Amino acid sequence: MPSSCDSLMEDIEDMVSSSDPTPHERQSARKSIIPRSRKKKELLSDEELQADSLIPGTQKIWMKTWGCSHNNSDGEYMAGQLAASGYKMTDDPTEADVWLLNSCTVKNPAEDHFRNSIKKAQDQEKKVVVAGCVPQAQPRMDYLKGLSIIGVQQIDRVVEVVDEAVKGHSVRLLGQKKDGGRRLGGARLDLPKIRKNPLIEIISINTGCLNACTYCKTKHARGDLASYPIEELVERARQSFQEGVCEIWLTSEDTGAYGRDIGTDLPTLLWRLVEEIPEGAMLRLGMTNPPYILEHLEEMAKILNHPRVYAFLHVPVQSASDSVLMDMKREYCIDDFKRVVDFLKERVPGVTIATDIICGFPGETEEDFQATIDLVKAYRFPSLFINQFYPRPGTPAARMEQVAAHVKKQRTKELSQVFHSYNPYDHKVGERQHVLVTEESFDSQYYVAHNKYYEQVLVPKRVEFKGKMIVVDIYEAGKHFMKGKPVEDSKPFTPSIAMPLQKGEVSGLLQVSTYMHAYSYTSCANVNVLLQEVEHLCNVNGLQVLSHNTRNDKKSTNGLWLQRHSLFLFYFYFIFGHLFCC
């Protein structure tokens, strides 16, 4: 058959003719070639990434927290994890991409503010994630439809929920944490956090309570008592002091019930914590109900007399009427409350007792209310939280016959007038006191300090006083505060054993953050070496690690991947007790 080729080629070597350059000549010719570098696109800055990117971890988040110090502690933990994961926390809600709303269910007004904030965020087309006691207790409320929810025991998974919300997905994590069937106190205490005040550490010692008060919605959210082990709490306090904290607040729904579920008690915990408190630093005990503190009065008096513990206790009475207390299912009578207060006043001279009162509880008569008025007049509580009764949906008290609204309002007003009829600090003018300066006043004109009895003392706003124990002479007293003049020949004492973190800095990531900074703009090869070491340590210790190649774009392979996974590396630091070296 005729061929279309002019000649036949019997071997592939025939393709090379004698006139073609030899391999050596081709190699020599390359030396004269001048390579032209291809212009690489510069890596976008964080700000440019945040502008219109849907990559989780590049957005700005604004968080609002309502309610008690326990809820504030949860908020600090959520902020810390988000910041450690690469998100930027902002104080400006208008510039935020995501609103994280951490709610309180104690009273109707708090929930109203929460609901209004959700609507405001949606009107501004913000992504919304909700947390706290409201969605935990009532996740099926109409205004929560389609929103991502973080349960009160799931705050350690806030990054997952926010990541999905950024992508437009709705996630709800409402489960309880358990170990062998036993309910745990909640998320781990060694999680990263951003303290609202770098000088104050809020530690939740337990969640839930043993009571079943008929008016309480928080029980629906926080559940039954679940205490953290003493060793975990002591370690958290120790770490806090190493980060410059000079004041610790212990909080829970009922600190007096601590340990009953794990075979210990509150005094045992407090004596262990006292051992860790540096000289000049202070411990403040949170709210405790009368039934459980009655068992520990002797020990509590000794603890409150300790120089590094505030002589302060918050013991809610709610009403001075036994019939009302019975309807509330408070599990104590008014004589029990008086016994607690009288004993502590005798054994702890100058002790501050704060209390709460509910006005207009269902079935409260004029006689019942008068008994409460008489109690306040007799004890002249320096700190009194007066609450008009609000029926919370789903509680037994909401089904009881209600006191008329105008009567509740009038009783609240009358009790407030009684409270404001006396000044608890007038007799302290002229005293010389040691006070610990930790905060700034609302009007930004003074620093706020507290004396041994946790009474508020306003001092001059001088930068050298912040975080220090100073000596002042009291020269003026108001209803809720005193004013102190620093003694000229006294020197401020520094209780902190380390420099406090900067405002907004993440707690618990000090050593890791230094390490991460060194790798923030490192080469791809070094990052891979780091990740190989992580994976090796996982394999050695029998841990499973997800592939680190799931995000293979160049931006992620460099510093951004490490920023997003700094929390992951943080856990390894605590597991293995050292930092990874490359």
Side-chain angles (χ1 to χ4, degrees), residues 330-347:
R330 290 291 290 167
E331 300 185 9
Y332 60 86
C333 64
I334 191 59
D335 286 341
D336 292 333
F337 174 80
K338 289 179 179 180
R339 182 185 166 201
V340 171
V341 177
D342 292 342
F343 184 91
L344 292 178
K345 280 182 171 292
E346 178 186 347
R347 300 295 183 89

Side-chain angles (χ1 to χ4, degrees), residues 141-411:
M141 294 291 286
D142 287 342
Y143 68 89
L144 297 177
K145 285 183 179 178
L147 299 181
S148 290
I149 297 176
I150 304 164
V152 294
Q153 286 210 321
Q154 299 292 329
I155 61 171
D156 54 339
R157 301 180 67 184
V158 63
V159 175
E160 300 173 50
V161 177
V162 172
D163 281 354
E164 293 304 316
V166 166
K167 297 173 188 175
H169 304 153
S170 177
V171 179
R172 296 191 166 200
L173 301 180
L174 295 165
Q176 303 292 326
K177 292 191 181 298
K178 295 184 178 181
D179 180 17
R182 183 179 69 84
R183 186 167 175 268
L184 299 178
R188 291 171 46 160
L189 294 173
D190 59 1
L191 293 171
K193 73 188 307 188
I194 296 178
R195 298 185 183 95
K196 185 177 180 180
N197 184 336
L199 297 173
I200 298 175
E201 167 72 2
I202 306 173
I203 302 178
S204 171
I205 62 174
N206 56 266
T207 189
C209 68
L210 294 174
N211 293 346
C213 300
T214 56
Y215 57 82
C216 183
K217 189 72 175 177
T218 305
K219 177 78 172 186
H220 296 194
R222 298 284 182 178
D224 293 327
L225 179 70
S227 304
Y228 285 98
I230 287 179
E231 290 304 325
E232 291 183 18
L233 295 166
V234 170
E235 180 56 36
R236 182 67 206 182
R238 188 181 295 127
Q239 178 192 334
S240 301
F241 289 126
Q242 291 169 352
E243 293 177 337
V245 163
C246 61
E247 186 170 291
I248 283 184
W249 297 356
L250 299 185
T251 184
S252 76
E253 282 64 57
D254 186 353
T255 58
Y258 171 80
R260 284 174 168 257
D261 57 322
I262 57 174
T264 186
D265 55 41
L266 180 63
T268 302
L269 168 65
L270 294 177
W271 284 124
R272 286 291 308 278
L273 287 172
V274 162
E275 297 173 4
E276 302 295 331
I277 304 174
E279 183 182 355
M282 298 297 289
L283 173 71
R284 192 193 82 174
L285 186 59
M287 187 272 289
T288 176
N289 283 311
Y292 308 111
I293 206 67
L294 273 169
E295 300 177 15
H296 308 299
L297 284 179
E298 289 280 357
E299 284 301 298
M300 290 305 301
K302 294 176 185 177
I303 291 167
L304 293 176
N305 276 312
H306 194 283
R308 294 193 289 276
V309 179
Y310 285 119
F312 168 88
L313 201 60
H314 180 191
V315 189
V317 63
Q318 306 300 8
S319 173
S321 164
D322 284 341
S323 63
V324 173
L325 291 174
M326 186 176 296
D327 289 341
M328 291 179 173
K329 289 193 175 179
R330 290 291 290 167
E331 300 185 9
Y332 60 86
C333 64
I334 191 59
D335 286 341
D336 292 333
F337 174 80
K338 289 179 179 180
R339 182 185 166 201
V340 171
V341 177
D342 292 342
F343 184 91
L344 292 178
K345 280 182 171 292
E346 178 186 347
R347 300 295 183 89
V348 189
V351 65
T352 296
I353 301 295
T355 195
D356 301 358
I357 290 176
I358 295 174
C359 295
F361 187 81
E364 182 186 63
T365 65
E366 285 295 335
E367 183 180 357
D368 296 330
F369 178 65
Q370 187 58 49
T372 301
I373 291 285
D374 293 341
L375 181 77
V376 174
K377 287 180 177 179
Y379 284 91
R380 295 166 67 93
F381 301 104
S383 182
L384 177 61
F385 302 94
I386 301 170
N387 303 288
Q388 180 177 318
F389 175 74
Y390 290 96
R392 301 296 291 132
T395 62
R399 299 190 295 271
M400 298 177 181
E401 185 176 350
Q402 303 296 306
V403 173
H406 72 278
V407 174
K408 290 191 291 186
K409 187 175 181 179
Q410 177 58 36
R411 289 177 182 175

Side-chain angles (χ1 to χ4, degrees), residues 16-33:
V16 181
S17 68
S18 58
S19 61
D20 290 333
T22 65
H24 177 73
E25 290 171 335
R26 282 197 298 270
Q27 182 64 31
S28 299
R30 287 182 181 177
K31 295 179 181 180
S32 62
I33 298 175

Side-chain angles (χ1 to χ4, degrees), residues 422-476:
Y422 58 87
N423 292 319
Y425 307 128
D426 284 352
H427 66 287
K428 299 208 171 190
V429 172
E431 287 186 1
R432 178 163 291 187
Q433 300 180 353
H434 288 77
V435 297
L436 181 59
V437 184
T438 55
E439 303 172 70
E440 185 176 293
S441 62
F442 287 116
D443 62 7
S444 300
Q445 299 300 307
Y446 299 91
Y447 276 153
V448 177
H450 293 90
N451 60 19
K452 162 67 177 172
Y453 312 103
Y454 203 68
E455 295 164 335
Q456 185 172 274
V457 180
L458 303 180
V459 300
K461 192 176 177 182
R462 287 161 48 181
V463 66
E464 65 268 24
F465 289 164
K466 193 72 175 287
K468 305 292 195 300
M469 180 76 76
I470 65 174
V471 183
V472 298
D473 289 327
I474 303 300
Y475 66 90
E476 183 181 334

